[in-house]
């Protein structure tokens, strides 16, 4: 794992794109603050940049660096949740502009998975996490379901956890508002 983190960090710092395991499904990722790197991910996915992607962070204490005002309900959801959960926050800031939705929101998931926690902690910035498939195709449930087209398009493929065959699922997605509003996008 340590060698993978070292190589992934080199690619992220250079503005490249990685294919990596997350706390849910395998993801395509890059520096969430680098608009050129984000553009590469959209191109790999053959996806329009008006369809936002989420970012991973390793620690909820970093939310204030990327969200204008974290709604109080977010802290309750983070504290009580024991499954991967993506929260869509209003007032995104300090992220690549082409990553933020037109309404100013951004989806953020706090990861509890060892590899991504270590990677993000050492990178000191959030990273993009989007499913490792072309837009419109089914999300791969494990590494072996990822197409060769995706594998060839990224700059680095993490070796850690490639052999795992269990079918993983995507996170729940909840949109939250400053007034405590909650909208469940994906249970």
């Amino acid at each position: 794992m340590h060698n993978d983190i070292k190589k992934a960090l080199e690619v992220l710092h250079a503005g490249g794109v990685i294919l990596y395991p997350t706390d849910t499904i395998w993801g395509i990722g890059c520096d969430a603050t680098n608009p050129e790197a984000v553009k590469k991910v959209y191109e790999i996915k053959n996806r329009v940049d008006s369809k936002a992607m989420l970012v991973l962070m390793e620690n909820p204490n970093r939310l204030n660096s990327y969200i204008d005002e974290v709604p109080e309900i977010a802290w309750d959801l983070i504290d009580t949740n024991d499954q991967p959960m993506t929260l869509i926050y209003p007032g995104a800031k300090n992220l690549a502009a082409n990553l933020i939705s037109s309404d100013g929101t951004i989806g953020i998931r706090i990861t509890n998975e060892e590899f991504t926690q270590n990677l993000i902690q050492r990178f000191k910035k959030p990273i993009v996490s989007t499913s490792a498939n072309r837009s419109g195709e089914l999300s791969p449930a494990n590494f072996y379901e990822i197409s060769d087209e995706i594998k060839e398009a990224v700059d680095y493929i993490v070796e850690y956890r490639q052999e795992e065959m269990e079918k993983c699922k995507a996170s729940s997605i909840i949109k939250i508002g400053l007034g405590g509003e909650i909208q469940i996008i994906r249970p």
Side-chain angles (χ1 to χ4, degrees), residues 22-93:
T22 74
D23 52 340
T24 59
I25 59 179
W26 274 73
I28 300 171
C30 68
D31 177 351
T33 66
N34 181 332
E36 288 303 312
V38 171
K39 181 180 175 191
K40 290 178 193 175
V41 175
Y42 281 119
E43 290 169 356
I44 290 169
K45 287 190 64 81
N46 196 25
R47 183 176 183 173
V48 294
D49 64 7
S50 61
K51 189 166 182 195
M53 297 182 288
L54 69 95
V55 299
L56 291 181
M57 291 183 191
E58 87 290 11
N59 187 325
N61 294 332
R62 291 192 186 222
L63 285 170
N64 289 316
S65 297
Y66 300 98
I67 303 299
D68 282 332
E69 182 182 344
V70 179
E72 221 24 70
I73 190 72
W75 302 116
D76 295 333
L77 290 168
I78 291 168
D79 288 344
T80 60
N81 194 51
D82 61 352
Q83 296 295 315
M85 174 186 61
T86 301
L87 295 178
I88 301 175
Y89 296 88
K93 65 180 182 181

Side-chain angles (χ1 to χ4, degrees), residues 82-143:
D82 61 352
Q83 296 295 315
M85 174 186 61
T86 301
L87 295 178
I88 301 175
Y89 296 88
K93 65 180 182 181
N94 300 324
L95 295 166
N98 55 343
L99 188 58
I100 300 169
S101 290
S102 58
D103 65 357
T105 61
I106 187 69
I108 298 175
R109 186 168 73 245
I110 307 299
T111 181
N112 290 320
E113 189 271 335
E114 183 181 21
F115 177 82
T116 50
Q117 275 194 327
N118 285 316
L119 177 64
I120 298 165
Q121 186 174 38
R122 291 193 50 201
F123 189 53
K124 296 181 178 27
K125 293 188 261 185
I127 59 173
V128 168
S129 181
T130 184
S131 57
N133 60 298
R134 302 281 292 211
S135 188
E137 295 176 357
L138 292 175
S139 297
N142 57 47
F143 179 78

